[in-house]
Amino acid sequence: MTVLLLLPLLLPFALPALARRALDRLAPVAALWAVTASAVVLAGCSVGALGLFLLTGLLKLPLFAALGELIHPLRTASDLVVLPAAALSVGALAVCAHSLARSVLRQTRAFRAARTEAGRGPAAGDLCVVDSVRPDAYALPGRPHRIVVTTAMLRCLDAPEREALFAHERAHNEGGHHYFLAAAELAAHCHPALRPVRESIRLAAERAADEAAAVRVGDRRLIARAIARAALAGQTGRSERPAFAAGATAGPVPQRVRALLAGARAPGRAGRSVAALLLACTAVSCVASAAGLADVHHRVEVAQGDQSP
């Protein structure tokens, strides 16, 4: 059981490298879906493994065994490992819960502030203009979705570049990229190895919006120029928008500009290999978690006297 439950805790360490390869080898939308799904599944399996370690350790104690209506405390083959693992699981789960709660509160405050700020400025359809000396532009989810742009950013771009920027932000809202960014934030607080994956998912979302905007506008060079100029302008200040609100200036902009100028690439054999590795990683984690759960369930039934060992 111990080995099975260690796998979901170790496999997330492989995801950052796989995520980077997925961004290089897969189409942006495919990479966004594959990496985000893998991060969420691995995060869930790791939390589940910690929970099973904790449950097993508690049921080995007579007091909790009695509360669980066990005839005798849970028996495991590795008593010297299970109790320390349960103690470590308590600390890890507490840290995850505290970190996640702080992030939810912080992001909720930032989202409310952004919606309030967007509501103060003039709006034209889904476009909200905010009077600010800080150049910024981002896609703000909600009902309805908004594109928020500051007056300082508008002054930094000419008319075609503004339309290119708006096309990019609309692609974020239409693609539901805030869901992917929120999922990445959630996964990052469940396992420390998944924190670098947040930036990979953010880059995948930006690349997906870049490609969608290039198709809509019909000029990849214009999109690249608009993003580059917006990013240079945005360096003068720090945005207070929530982490799940995607903006055109996020991520490694030079890499995005190079990808736009290079043209869209169809995924080849290397892309399929990366996708297969991501699938294998998540599948092994799921199978190990399910097998660990089945083993714990069997041991509980034995301890309740329902089955023979």
Side-chain angles (χ1 to χ4, degrees):
M1 180 197 72
T2 302
V3 175
L4 288 175
L5 294 181
L6 284 176
L7 279 175
L9 299 176
L10 296 176
L11 285 172
F13 288 98
L15 189 58
L18 289 175
R20 290 191 295 270
R21 289 181 63 85
L23 290 176
D24 293 335
R25 307 295 184 184
L26 293 174
V29 174
L32 180 61
W33 277 96
V35 175
T36 305
S38 297
V40 171
V41 171
L42 291 177
C45 289
S46 65
V47 171
L50 291 174
L52 288 174
F53 271 128
L54 174 58
L55 177 63
T56 304
L58 290 176
L59 293 180
K60 288 184 68 65
L61 302 176
L63 174 61
F64 290 96
L67 291 175
E69 299 181 351
L70 304 186
I71 297 176
H72 52 75
L74 205 66
R75 294 194 179 100
T76 59
S78 51
D79 292 351
L80 295 177
V81 176
V82 171
L83 288 178
L88 290 174
S89 297
V90 172
L93 288 172
V95 170
C96 290
H98 180 261
S99 175
L100 181 59
R102 288 186 60 187
S103 176
V104 169
L105 290 174
R106 184 172 61 251
Q107 298 302 326
T108 300
R109 286 195 296 266
F111 175 68
R112 288 177 177 172
R115 292 292 297 188
T116 301
E117 185 181 41
R120 293 196 188 106
D126 62 346
L127 180 63
C128 294
V129 179
V130 175
D131 187 15
S132 174
V133 296
R134 185 184 69 246
D136 197 14
Y138 56 93
L140 185 63
R143 293 184 179 180
H145 293 329
R146 297 292 189 191
I147 298 171
V148 180
V149 61
T150 64
T151 52
M153 179 63 80
L154 292 177
R155 286 193 293 267
C156 294
L157 306 176
D158 60 28
E161 290 168 348
R162 292 174 189 171
E163 292 303 318
L165 184 67
F166 299 157
H168 175 96
E169 303 303 349
R170 287 193 177 96
H172 279 310
N173 281 333
E174 292 169 0
H177 294 166
H178 50 283
Y179 293 117
F180 296 93
L181 298 180
E185 189 72 16
L186 172 65
H189 292 286
C190 294
H191 197 292
L194 298 177
R195 291 173 187 168
V197 180
R198 276 185 300 194
E199 296 308 314
S200 296
I201 293 174
R202 183 171 294 278
L203 176 56
E206 295 302 330
R207 285 284 300 114
D210 291 342
E211 293 297 328
V215 171
R216 173 174 292 184
V217 173
D219 189 342
R220 301 180 69 87
R221 298 185 67 86
L222 175 59
I223 299 295
R225 188 171 74 248
I227 290 170
R229 292 193 63 182
L232 287 175
Q235 291 178 345
T236 60
R238 180 176 177 272
S239 175
E240 298 298 331
R241 62 175 179 261
F244 55 83
T249 59
V253 174
Q255 180 178 343
R256 293 168 54 200
V257 169
R258 285 195 299 270
L260 279 167
L261 296 179
R265 294 185 306 173
R269 182 178 299 177
R272 291 191 291 271
S273 299
V274 173
L277 286 173
L278 286 171
L279 178 61
C281 189
T282 54
V284 169
S285 184
C286 288
V287 170
S289 298
L293 176 61
D295 182 75
V296 172
H297 182 262
H298 173 71
R299 293 178 188 276
V300 168
E301 288 185 331
V302 170
Q304 289 175 331
D306 297 335
Q307 290 188 8
S308 58

